[in-house]
């Protein structure tokens, strides 16, 4: 996610309003002088060893790309554990992660310019022919505008850029006549309807065939998007305009950037993570440089490099000053609140911020880049890979690692800026870890848990687009690459766009809107390419001196517990307190907890909660003991959960023509009546307005005496319940706003309160994932009036329902049977699912980077407690995972089995025969997971 011209490390001076040709010329020269600075420090790597490592990267790429082409193409991605392609709709939904898949051979398009960088020109020519022959961009599928732009549009433009370069050289691609560019233009026009909003910010998703808002589009109802999603378009869209002469693309991307700049928080000059695309209100007001915002900052600086518009540089510098003032806490980069930037919003960092040192190299701010990069490297040395998220004391927060390339990217740019061979050794470590821990017979598999080394059946396209490109360039000499890499800029997906676009088709107005919004301090802006003598003050050990204090920062903050126990046993000292021995009434145990930095909190309901603050421990050894104690307590609590598991609840459609045949698995709430102890609630359903239920309802007459349907998001569950209760609703069903989510693949959870007294909530509330919720919504569209039963389990049809049953038309019967069949499949999957368990930290909503790793949590919808996220657990399992169903429950509670209703419609043997193929598929999925 950084620019090919990298470090801006020479002494060339650029006038404040220099012609862009001069700026572009110096951009490529900045790194040249920087690479000669380092003559000492780490031992230099011989050319032979660099060539050996470069060849190793080529072999690894062949392994990944070859297996994709053999086992997956034309599918979007390779599933390396099962050696097959991932096709949207044919595999269980993974939520937002699947929005990158559009049935357009994603990995092939994303890999096009990588083939040229790796000097595989014959393979590139073959790949281009395959794209032109096989790829269809007119599929009826809903995709992410952001992902489609950076991966597919960027991939096509990068492929076109290098295709015309090869054609000019006269050996390859002589037949090429801008076919990739025409495909890119077609795709660009397909994305344009997403910008049809009052703000100019694009919708987050679009249907490639039907666009936005049409009934068949199945999208266009979203109200929010992430800042990066709306602010990472300018490079690809401007390049498309410059290549084709169609200015509309650059105009739309500029308008989105202008709106984000206007909506920044004026006192802090920071932007939030999520914004309402219609009103411009910030939905998530935390700000950082990681997930949700990262590439917005990157594209402001690179838009200046590529397009020569000073306003982009001014905006970037304004934001950068705020980042270094509030977010940067060397070597950490911590999210803060945009309105209260001195207050940290969370105590953990996500892996996507690893791109930032590379961006700082492009900015010319080398020292903090070295510091943050070294901290990240120490985390990698401890866990082999960078966890998807980790705490400020470097413990794993989210354990996944989908083979992200951002750290390799920053490593490459730091090496280009400093010439320090230390970064070659870092790259060598990355290669070794990939081969040792991620390599499988059919490619490279993402890590499901960096602590255990378990794999996930995914190999994302960005792994081929970025990782191998940066690793190869790290070890390559200039003569190893068949073109001058300094003539190009890297997009956030590492696609290459030529710098000469800056002077091509400049018909878009470059009005400088920055000064309309803020008084700018010119001293904040660098208008020169930084001088290496200033960056590295005649000291070849400069970078080493910055890194040295950080060498042991991870081990000091996160000691290894097993060593501590063994040492105490050898010395004859009293061993640390074990979770299984702990008694909350033992004063000695309480004193030990205090030394370990563990606080004991007595909750109002009589339960006891433990919270660890490592910095409050008496010593680092005691903090280590506290960490181990908390981990043991989590495991102990997890075991208790299995013994005290709460069953899921049921939403049963009982109106004509379903009559109880449709039973949907639902999650309960921690507030309102407990349906296992109170009578079930029966009523017709009605959608609330606003649909999110976060304010006073404008249609109380519609929900009066009915069960209100509300969408998850934008406020607390308890607030939704109060609003529909005040409107007269007798119950509520919250439907997940994460399109495609299902109890098939995601664990159920209890909806948590808002930290206040919830005794005022008197109506029952249940939660449905998107797939289950859409069944009710489809029924409403088909039959208008739909009656449901909210209960702890499905109920038998009573005589009253028998008498009420109306003769239905053939169409009604068929439609009802289709919906009933979908419901039966959902319930059957739930019974077949393997047991799982987990206990999490403070209840909080899942963030965007966590969509692929949804853990079972007692969930509040918004991150309402951002101050701390320390290791916590309740002794009786406060956070309850409802996905761990006891097998005997499904056997004894026959009345909850939807097959009871199916007998009157279809013989059970026939139903089982119809389901047999699905059962086998899910059993195979379970085996794969194990």
């Amino acid at each position: 996610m950084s620019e090919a011209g990298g470090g801006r490390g020479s002494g060339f001076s650029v006038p404040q309003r220099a012609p862009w040709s001069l700026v572009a010329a110096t951009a490529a020269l900045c790194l040249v002088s920087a690479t000669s600075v380092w003559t000492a420090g780490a031992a230099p790597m011989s050319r032979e060893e660099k060539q050996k490592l470069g060849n190793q990267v080529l072999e690894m790429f062949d392994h990944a790309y070859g297996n994709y082409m053999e086992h997956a193409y034309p599918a979007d991605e390779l599933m390396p554990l099962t050696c097959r392609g991932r096709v949207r709709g044919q595999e269980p939904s993974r939520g937002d992660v699947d929005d990158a898949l559009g049935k357009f051979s994603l990995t092939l398009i994303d890999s096009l310019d990588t083939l040229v960088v790796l000097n595989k020109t014959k393979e590139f020519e073959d790949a281009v022919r395959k794209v032109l022959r096989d790829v269809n961009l007119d599929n009826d599928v809903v995709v992410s505008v952001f992902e489609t732009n950076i991966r597919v549009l960027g991939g096509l433009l990068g492929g076109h850029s290098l295709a015309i370069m090869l054609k000019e050289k006269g050996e390859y691609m002589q037949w090429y006549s801008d076919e990739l560019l025409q495909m890119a233009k077609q795709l660009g026009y397909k994305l344009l309807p997403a910008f049809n909003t009052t703000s100019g910010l694009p919708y987050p998703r679009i249907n490639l065939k039907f666009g936005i808002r049409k009934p068949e589009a199945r999208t266009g109802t979203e109200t929010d998007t992430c800042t990066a999603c709306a602010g990472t378009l300018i490079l690809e869209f401007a390049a498309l305009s410059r290549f084709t002469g169609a200015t509309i693309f650059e105009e739309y991307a500029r308008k989105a950037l202008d709106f984000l700049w206007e909506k920044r928080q004026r006192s802090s000059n920071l932007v939030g993570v999520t914004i309402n695309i219609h009103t411009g209100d910030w939905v998530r007001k935390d700000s950082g440089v990681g997930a949700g915002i990262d590439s917005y900052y990157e594209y402001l600086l690179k838009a200046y490099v590529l397009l020569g518009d000073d306003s982009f540089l001014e905006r970037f510098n304004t934001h950068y000053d705020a980042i270094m003032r509030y977010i940067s806490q060397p070597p950490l980069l911590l999210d803060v609140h945009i309105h209260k930037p001195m207050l940290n919003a969370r105590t953990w960092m996500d892996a996507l911020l690893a791109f930032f040192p590379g961006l700082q190299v492009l900015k010319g701010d080398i020292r903090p880049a070295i510091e943050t990069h070294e901290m990240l490297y120490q985390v990698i040395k401890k866990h082999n890979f960078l966890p998807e998220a980790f705490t400020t004391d470097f413990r794993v927060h989210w354990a996944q690692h989908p083979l992200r390339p951002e750290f390799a990217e920053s490593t490459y740019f730091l090496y280009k800026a400093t010439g320090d061979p230390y970064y070659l050794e870092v790259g060598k470590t990355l290669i070794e870890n990939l081969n040792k821990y991620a390599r499988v017979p059919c490619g490279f598999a993402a890590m499901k848990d960096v602590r255990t080394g378990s794999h996930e059946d995914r190999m994302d396209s960005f792994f081929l687009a970025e990782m191998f490109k940066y690793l190869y360039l790290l070890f390559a000499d200039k003569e190893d690459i068949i073109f001058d890499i300094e003539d190009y800029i890297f997009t956030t997906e590492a696609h290459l766009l030529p710098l000469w676009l800056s002077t091509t088709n400049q018909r878009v107005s470059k009005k400088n809107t920055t000064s309309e919004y803020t008084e700018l301090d010119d001293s904040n802006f660098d208008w020169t390419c930084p001088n290496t003598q200033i960056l590295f003050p005649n000291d070849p050990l400069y970078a080493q001196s910055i890194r040295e204090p950080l060498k042991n920062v991870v081990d000091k903050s996160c000691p290894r517990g097993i060593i501590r126990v063994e040492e105490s046993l050898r010395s004859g000292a009293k061993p640390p307190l074990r979770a299984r021995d702990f008694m909350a009434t033992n004063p000695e145990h309480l004193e030990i907890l205090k030394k370990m930095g563990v606080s004991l909190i007595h909750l109002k309901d009589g339960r006891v909660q433990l919270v660890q603050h490592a910095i409050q421990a008496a010593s680092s050894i005691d903090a280590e003991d506290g960490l181990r104690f908390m981990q043991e307590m989590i495991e102990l609590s997890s075991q208790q959960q299995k013994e005290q598991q709460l069953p899921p609840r049921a939403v049963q459609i009982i109106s004509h023509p379903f009559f109880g045949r449709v039973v949907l698995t639902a999650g309960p709430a921690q507030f309102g009546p407990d349906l296992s102890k109170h009578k079930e609630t029966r009523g017709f359903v009605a959608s609330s307005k606003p649909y999110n239920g976060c304010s006073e309802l404008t249609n109380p007459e519609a929900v009066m005496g009915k069960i209100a349907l509300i969408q998850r998001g934008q406020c607390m569950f308890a607030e939704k319940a109060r609003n529909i209760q005040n409107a007269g609703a007798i119950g509520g069903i919250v439907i997940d706003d994460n399109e495609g989510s299902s109890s098939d693949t995601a664990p159920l959870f209890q909806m948590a309160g808002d930290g206040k007294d919830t005794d005022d909530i008197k109506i029952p509330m249940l939660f449905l994932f998107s797939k289950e919720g859409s069944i009710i919504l489809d029924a409403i569209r088909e039959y208008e009036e739909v009656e449901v039963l909210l209960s702890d389990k499905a109920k038998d049809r009573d005589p009253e329902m028998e008498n009420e049953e109306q003769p239905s038309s053939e169409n009604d019967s068929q439609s009802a049977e289709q919906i009933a069949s979908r419901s039966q499949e959902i319930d059957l999957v739930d019974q077949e699912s393997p047991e799982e368990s987990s206990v999490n930290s403070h209840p909080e909503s899942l963030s965007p980077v966590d969509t692929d790793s949804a853990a079972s949590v007692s969930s509040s919808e918004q991150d309402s407690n951002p101050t701390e996220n320390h290791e916590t657990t309740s002794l009786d399992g406060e956070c309850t995972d409802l996905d761990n169903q006891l097998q005997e429950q499904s056997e004894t509670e026959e009345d909850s089995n939807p097959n009871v209703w199916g007998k009157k419609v279809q013989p059970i043997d026939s139903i089982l025969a119809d389901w047999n193929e699905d059962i086998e598929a899910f059993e195979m999925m379970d085996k794969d997971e194990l």
Side-chain angles (χ1 to χ4, degrees):
M1 298 185 185
S2 294
E3 195 265 326
R8 292 181 167 263
S10 77
F12 296 99
S13 177
V14 181
Q16 189 162 349
R17 292 294 181 268
W20 178 238
S21 58
L22 177 57
V23 179
T26 61
L29 297 173
C30 287
L31 286 177
V32 177
S33 61
T35 56
S36 64
V37 172
W38 288 100
T39 58
M45 183 177 287
S46 66
R47 175 166 173 77
E48 291 72 22
E49 186 173 4
K50 287 176 64 178
Q51 285 182 332
K52 180 181 177 181
L53 289 168
N55 290 334
Q56 198 170 352
V57 173
L58 294 176
E59 186 279 329
M60 292 165 66
F61 174 82
D62 289 340
H63 180 67
Y65 180 76
N67 275 287
Y68 164 74
M69 296 303 296
E70 179 179 353
H71 298 293
Y73 181 79
D76 282 317
E77 290 179 344
L78 169 68
M79 299 173 68
L81 299 183
T82 51
C83 297
R84 68 178 192 269
R86 184 181 295 281
V87 179
R88 186 91 172 263
Q90 295 184 13
E91 303 293 336
S93 172
R94 301 175 298 169
D96 291 348
V97 177
D98 283 341
D99 288 344
L101 311 181
K103 299 182 179 179
F104 35 36
S105 301
L106 175 63
T107 298
L108 181 62
I109 292 177
D110 224 1
S111 304
L112 286 177
D113 51 7
T114 304
L115 289 165
V116 182
V117 172
L118 271 56
N119 202 12
K120 296 180 178 293
T121 48
K122 180 64 171 66
E123 290 88 340
F124 171 74
E125 191 158 6
D126 292 341
V128 172
R129 292 184 186 276
K130 284 185 171 67
V131 169
L132 300 179
R133 182 190 68 203
D134 300 336
V135 172
N136 178 23
L137 298 175
D138 196 41
N139 300 313
D140 180 13
V141 59
V142 176
V143 297
S144 162
V145 173
F146 167 76
E147 297 289 356
T148 304
N149 172 65
I150 65 171
R151 299 201 205 189
V152 185
L153 182 58
L156 292 171
L157 291 173
H160 170 70
S161 298
L162 297 189
I164 58 178
M165 177 274 298
L166 289 172
K167 184 176 182 180
E168 288 176 1
K169 286 182 174 291
E171 183 176 355
Y172 294 98
M173 305 298 294
Q174 296 305 300
W175 54 270
Y176 182 71
S177 299
D178 296 348
E179 289 87 350
L180 290 177
L181 180 59
Q182 296 309 311
M183 288 185 68
K185 188 176 182 181
Q186 177 192 0
L187 180 59
Y189 279 117
K190 285 184 171 295
L191 295 179
L192 283 184
F195 292 84
N196 188 22
T197 61
T198 55
S199 67
L201 299 179
Y203 282 94
R205 300 176 185 87
I206 193 168
N207 188 299
L208 289 175
K209 188 175 184 69
F210 298 109
I212 294 285
R213 287 192 171 276
K214 295 181 182 177
E216 57 268 38
R218 305 185 305 283
T219 190
T221 59
E222 304 94 335
T223 58
D224 306 335
T225 192
C226 72
T227 300
C229 300
T232 311
L233 299 158
I234 185 64
L235 292 188
E236 292 84 1
F237 271 49
L240 184 57
S241 288
R242 302 297 176 95
F243 272 129
T244 63
T247 61
I248 187 171
F249 304 108
E250 185 173 342
E251 290 170 354
Y252 274 59
R254 282 177 176 266
K255 183 179 179 183
L257 276 180
D258 290 344
F259 190 82
L260 288 173
W261 170 252
E262 181 182 357
K263 290 299 179 179
R264 77 194 184 285
Q265 212 290 320
R266 301 303 175 88
S267 61
S268 66
N269 281 319
L270 295 173
V271 292
V273 173
T274 309
I275 191 171
N276 186 297
I277 59 177
H278 303 296
T279 66
D281 295 333
W282 291 109
V283 179
R284 279 188 55 188
K285 300 179 178 65
D286 46 319
S287 182
V289 296
I293 303 181
D294 49 1
S295 48
Y296 162 69
Y297 294 134
E298 177 188 3
Y299 269 38
L300 282 178
L301 183 55
K302 291 184 177 180
Y304 166 68
V305 174
L306 181 64
L307 306 177
D309 189 335
D310 292 342
S311 67
F312 291 132
L313 179 62
E314 294 172 359
R315 295 179 192 183
F316 172 80
N317 278 325
T318 301
H319 285 314
Y320 187 78
D321 177 72
I323 291 169
M324 301 309 292
R325 186 186 306 270
Y326 303 119
I327 295 171
S328 177
Q329 302 174 36
L332 310 179
L333 291 163
L334 293 177
D335 284 19
V336 299
H337 296 278
I338 59 175
H339 297 287
K340 298 179 179 179
M342 302 305 294
L343 179 64
N344 287 339
R346 62 190 189 190
T347 58
W348 49 272
M349 296 164 280
D350 65 72
L352 285 170
L353 62 76
F355 92 100
F356 198 67
L359 188 63
Q360 289 178 306
V361 169
L362 179 58
K363 160 73 175 174
D365 198 0
I366 303 296
R367 183 185 184 93
I370 293 172
E371 291 175 332
T372 299
H373 181 274
E374 182 61 24
M375 177 271 292
L376 296 171
Y377 184 45
Q378 296 303 318
V379 175
I380 289 174
K381 288 204 292 187
K382 186 170 188 64
H383 299 293
N384 301 318
F385 297 99
L386 196 62
E388 196 71 336
F390 53 94
T391 63
T392 52
D393 50 357
F394 310 110
R395 289 178 290 179
V396 173
H397 186 68
W398 292 325
Q400 307 91 333
H401 174 73
L403 306 182
R404 294 200 183 277
E406 285 78 15
F407 181 77
E409 171 189 353
S410 288
T411 302
Y412 164 64
F413 286 110
L414 271 170
Y415 177 67
K416 292 291 289 183
T418 66
D420 188 346
Y422 175 83
Y423 296 108
L424 297 177
E425 296 297 332
V426 173
K428 182 179 179 180
T429 300
L430 298 182
I431 292 173
E432 291 172 348
N433 289 350
L434 284 171
N435 279 321
K436 185 174 182 180
Y437 301 108
R439 187 169 183 140
V440 294
C442 279
F444 291 84
M447 307 305 296
K448 187 172 186 178
D449 193 319
V450 297
R451 297 164 298 191
T452 64
S454 58
H455 288 121
E456 193 174 352
D457 200 5
R458 61 185 286 195
M459 188 179 78
D460 292 82
S461 68
F462 55 68
F463 183 59
L464 285 84
E466 300 184 68
M467 180 69 82
F468 296 112
K469 196 174 290 174
Y470 289 126
L471 287 178
Y472 182 76
L473 289 173
L474 177 64
F475 297 105
D477 290 324
K478 192 168 185 178
E479 56 268 25
D480 296 327
I481 307 171
I482 61 175
F483 63 99
D484 190 350
I485 198 74
E486 309 294 353
D487 290 340
Y488 296 82
I489 189 171
F490 282 114
T491 70
T492 194
E493 190 78 1
H495 293 307
L496 295 168
L497 300 176
L499 289 173
W500 53 257
L501 287 176
S502 61
T503 57
T504 303
N505 289 323
Q506 299 183 64
R507 289 187 290 174
V508 176
S509 172
K510 294 184 184 179
K511 177 185 175 183
N512 187 338
T513 57
T514 303
S515 58
E516 295 177 10
Y517 308 122
T518 183
E519 290 291 330
L520 295 175
D521 178 6
D522 284 341
S523 65
N524 183 45
F525 304 138
D526 291 331
W527 295 98
T528 61
C529 205
N531 190 306
T532 55
Q533 298 305 312
I534 299 174
L535 292 175
F536 319 113
N538 298 314
D539 182 4
L541 299 178
Y542 175 72
Q544 183 179 347
S545 67
I546 297 175
R547 292 192 300 263
E548 199 61 37
L550 303 172
K551 288 293 186 184
N552 300 313
V553 64
V554 173
D555 284 333
K556 286 179 179 178
S557 300
C558 190
R560 302 175 188 267
I562 297 177
I563 299 174
R564 162 74 173 122
V565 174
E566 291 176 348
E567 288 178 351
S568 64
L569 292 175
R570 285 197 302 268
S571 65
K574 189 174 181 178
L577 177 64
R578 307 304 298 269
R580 63 176 179 268
D581 301 325
F582 171 71
M583 295 181 63
T585 57
N586 187 320
E588 183 181 356
H589 289 180
L590 296 179
E591 187 62 29
I592 295 174
L593 289 189
K594 186 177 180 181
K595 286 187 61 179
M596 295 189 300
V598 178
S599 304
L600 186 144
I601 302 172
H602 293 275
L603 303 177
K604 292 181 179 180
D605 57 9
R607 293 177 297 171
V608 177
Q609 187 179 55
L610 300 177
V611 182
Q612 188 197 24
H613 303 259
I615 59 174
Q616 295 180 6
S619 67
S620 61
I621 297 297
D622 291 311
E624 173 189 355
D625 291 341
L627 171 62
R628 178 193 45 74
F629 175 83
M630 293 296 291
Q631 290 171 336
E632 290 180 356
M633 190 59 72
I634 289 173
E635 294 172 3
L636 186 63
S637 180
S638 179
Q639 293 173 5
Q640 292 176 356
Q641 287 181 42
K642 293 181 179 179
E643 299 169 0
Q644 303 174 7
Q645 201 58 251
L646 293 175
R649 305 299 183 235
V651 175
Q652 191 170 11
I653 306 181
I654 58 176
S655 56
H656 166 78
F658 307 100
F659 302 111
R661 290 191 297 271
V662 174
V663 182
L664 307 174
T665 302
Q670 291 181 351
F671 49 84
D674 184 348
L675 291 173
S676 65
K677 300 176 182 177
H678 294 75
K679 185 179 179 181
E680 67 270 12
T681 298
R682 174 175 176 173
F684 288 91
V685 296
S687 295
S688 63
K689 292 183 181 179
Y691 190 32
N692 59 33
C694 291
S695 59
E696 182 180 348
L697 266 59
T698 59
N699 63 335
E701 69 286 346
V703 301
M704 174 75 71
K706 296 182 180 180
I707 296 172
L709 300 179
I710 43 184
Q711 187 179 50
R712 182 183 185 182
Q714 301 189 36
C715 65
M716 311 293 285
F717 289 116
E719 184 179 350
K720 297 175 186 290
R722 291 188 180 98
N723 287 331
I724 64 172
Q725 178 177 275
N726 292 339
I730 60 173
I733 299 174
V734 179
I735 298 176
D736 196 7
D737 60 347
N738 185 5
E739 183 182 353
S741 65
S742 169
S743 60
D744 299 0
T745 54
L748 290 171
F749 60 84
Q750 285 183 297
M751 293 185 287
D754 54 3
K756 305 174 184 177
D757 187 359
T758 55
D759 291 343
D760 61 317
I761 300 176
K762 306 297 184 183
I763 61 174
M765 297 288 293
L766 294 181
F767 177 89
L768 292 178
F769 283 106
S770 172
K771 183 177 179 181
E772 287 82 353
S774 65
I775 292 174
I776 293 182
L777 298 176
D778 289 345
I780 293 174
R781 282 191 285 268
E782 188 76 21
Y783 304 105
E784 295 186 2
E785 292 196 341
V786 175
E787 189 177 17
V788 301
L789 193 70
L790 309 184
S791 61
D792 63 329
K793 56 186 177 182
K795 304 298 180 183
D796 287 323
R797 180 168 47 180
D798 57 30
E800 189 176 315
M801 290 163 69
E802 293 278 1
N803 296 333
E804 291 173 358
E805 182 168 353
Q806 305 278 337
S808 60
S809 68
E810 182 176 344
N811 289 339
D812 278 0
S813 176
Q814 290 176 353
S815 181
E817 285 305 308
Q818 290 174 355
I819 297 178
S821 174
R822 288 164 60 190
S823 173
Q824 289 165 348
E825 181 179 349
I826 291 171
D827 282 355
L828 181 65
V829 171
D830 188 67
Q831 295 170 17
E832 294 290 328
S833 298
E835 291 191 2
E836 300 176 357
S837 66
S838 65
V839 175
N840 282 45
S841 303
H842 280 303
E844 64 179 75
S845 63
L846 301 178
S847 80
V849 281
D850 199 33
T851 53
D852 194 36
S853 58
S856 306
V857 300
S858 175
S859 178
S860 298
E861 291 228 37
Q862 296 294 334
D863 195 349
S864 60
N865 182 15
T867 55
E868 288 186 328
N869 190 13
H870 302 288
E871 197 78 46
T872 69
T873 182
S874 293
L875 299 185
D876 62 350
E878 179 187 18
C879 298
T880 306
D881 185 348
L882 300 178
D883 199 39
N884 305 317
Q885 300 304 316
L886 299 177
Q887 188 63 35
E888 56 265 31
Q889 179 186 337
S890 63
E891 296 171 356
T892 58
E893 297 177 358
E894 293 181 359
D895 55 355
S896 68
N897 192 334
N899 293 345
V900 173
W901 299 108
K903 289 178 182 176
K904 203 150 192 177
V905 180
Q906 190 177 2
I908 187 67
D909 292 342
S910 175
I911 293 177
L912 291 177
D914 292 341
W915 288 346
N916 186 56
E917 186 173 335
D918 291 335
I919 295 173
E920 291 177 355
F922 279 101
E923 286 177 344
M924 179 60 70
M925 185 177 69
D926 291 343
K927 292 177 182 178
D928 293 344
E929 184 70 18
L930 293 174

